[in-house]
Amino acid sequence: MQDQPAAPDGPDTAQPGTGTVADAPPDNWVDRYAPAGLRPYLRLSRADRPIGTWLLLLPCWWGLALAILHDQSPRWEDLWIFAGCGIGAFLMRGAGCTWNDITDRDIDDKVARTRSRPIPSGQVSVRQALAWMVLQALLAACILFTFNWTAIGLGVLALLPVTIYPFAKRFTWWPQIFLGLAFNWGALLVWTAHIGRLESPAVLLYVAGMAWTLFYDTIYAHQDAEDDALIGVKSTARLFGDRSPHWLRRFLAATVGLMGLAVIFSALPDASVLALVLALGGPWAMGWHMAWQLRGLDLDNSSKMLQLFRANRDTGMIPLLFFGAALLA
């Protein structure tokens, strides 16, 4: 089987017989450099589309930064937590995507953007996908078990929303809420890994992350709105329709407001005024980046919506830079 880069002219144009996935970035590292036998599994894990790993990882790093701001006690152990989050996010995002593709295999072959994925295109069997999912989850567990027991318990509990999410679009118009529950869990877990207990700033940060997920995944879901309507799959994109910009503004406001509260409660009582001001710049600047996305919305242009969705890596990185500056203040 020959492997070539995905065609660059849109999300529905994977080249038949190449093994590439339609919405993967052209010339991604999997298609170019990974061993041929490993490519279908890396595609199953979305390694050719790293945006999802960033969206899972960034709330973890937010939680660590605000936890350090809260207790003013950085430790060498935090370097491992920081690195472990990166490795764990890659592995758990891969395991979650594999599970998603297993459960959605009868839907994916009916949607133009997803029928080139490894299972519906026949690159990987369901049994092989299950084995790959278990391997990734076990490797992630090895990292989780280096944290304290409370964090380990939260990590195990995270499997519940991860398991439910692929089925949510079958029974609710709000499956993005279940994605938010799963994708922002790291804010709770990593705060607890540093502090040793779960506290209110982490919960506020978690809910802020959920509002952000509703923002970016509604944008993402507009790519498939027509196909989803034909096969009966629910999403906030279908629910909101032309009113999506109005709802996205609500999610923007909720993200900024809740993250701002998380910063305030994290900084009190020990952080300096300068650190508080710098940290509050994070949600403020993040909100401006989300507003920039709103100005570029074109609900009928799948390529544009995918571009805006991918821009959320930078959206989530912005507050982290401000949090880092606050820790140095």
Side-chain angles (χ1 to χ4, degrees):
M1 181 181 69
Q2 292 181 333
D3 290 90
Q4 303 171 7
D9 54 336
D12 301 336
T13 54
Q15 300 175 29
T18 65
T20 57
V21 178
D23 56 355
D27 296 328
N28 66 80
W29 74 272
V30 173
D31 293 341
R32 288 174 62 86
Y33 304 117
L38 192 57
R39 286 176 193 172
Y41 297 97
L42 292 174
R43 292 169 183 146
L44 198 61
S45 299
R46 310 287 199 276
D48 52 352
R49 283 155 288 170
I51 177 61
T53 299
W54 283 109
L55 297 176
L56 184 63
L57 172 59
L58 287 166
C60 300
W61 283 350
W62 297 346
L64 178 59
L66 290 189
I68 296 172
L69 182 68
H70 182 65
D71 71 359
Q72 296 288 296
S73 298
R75 300 184 291 270
W76 287 110
E77 177 189 355
D78 294 328
L79 293 176
W80 165 242
I81 296 175
F82 182 88
C85 286
I87 302 168
F90 178 82
L91 291 168
M92 282 308 298
R93 190 260 183 144
C97 288
T98 304
W99 171 241
N100 185 80
D101 281 9
I102 291 170
T103 59
D104 281 357
R105 61 190 183 275
D106 294 330
I107 294 175
D108 284 346
D109 65 359
K110 298 178 178 65
V111 178
R113 186 179 58 83
T114 59
R115 64 169 60 104
S116 58
R117 288 179 177 176
I119 295 178
S121 65
Q123 299 176 56
V124 176
S125 70
V126 173
R127 179 174 294 183
Q128 289 170 323
L130 281 169
W132 180 242
M133 179 188 72
V134 170
L135 174 62
Q136 293 172 98
L138 288 175
L139 291 173
C142 292
I143 297 171
L144 176 66
F145 290 147
T146 66
F147 298 157
N148 60 57
W149 284 107
T150 307
I152 292 171
L154 282 171
V156 173
L157 191 60
L159 295 176
L160 182 60
V162 171
T163 302
I164 294 173
Y165 166 67
F167 302 101
K169 56 183 166 287
R170 295 164 171 83
F171 63 80
T172 177
W173 287 101
W174 294 82
Q176 281 71 21
I177 288 180
F178 289 87
L179 181 67
L181 288 169
F183 256 57
N184 296 282
W185 200 271
L188 305 176
L189 192 156
V190 177
W191 175 285
T192 305
H194 175 84
I195 297 287
R197 60 188 178 277
L198 185 60
E199 296 177 320
S200 60
V203 177
L204 287 167
L205 187 64
Y206 177 58
V207 182
M210 289 180 60
W212 179 44
T213 302
L214 281 163
F215 179 89
Y216 65 66
D217 206 58
T218 297
I219 291 174
Y220 184 81
H222 268 282
Q223 297 176 90
D224 300 329
E226 292 185 5
D227 285 332
D228 287 349
L230 290 174
I231 60 180
V233 170
K234 299 178 174 67
S235 72
T236 50
R238 287 191 60 208
L239 177 65
F240 303 153
D242 292 338
R243 296 178 295 120
S244 287
H246 175 71
W247 280 94
L248 292 174
R249 283 190 288 271
R250 291 182 176 182
F251 299 145
L252 186 164
T255 302
V256 173
L258 289 165
M259 185 179 288
L261 287 174
V263 168
I264 291 170
F265 283 105
S266 297
L268 297 176
D270 297 324
S272 68
V273 173
L274 176 59
L276 173 59
V277 171
L278 286 171
L280 283 173
W284 174 81
M286 182 180 184
W288 278 108
H289 196 271
M290 294 168 75
W292 166 80
Q293 292 182 56
L294 285 177
R295 288 196 295 271
L297 280 181
D298 184 352
L299 300 181
D300 298 320
N301 186 336
S302 294
S303 295
K304 181 63 175 179
M305 300 304 278
L306 180 60
Q307 178 188 2
L308 291 174
F309 166 73
R310 288 174 176 164
N312 279 277
R313 181 203 63 177
D314 297 339
T315 310
M317 190 69 74
I318 288 169
L320 185 65
L321 297 176
F322 280 85
F323 297 162
L327 293 178
L328 298 174

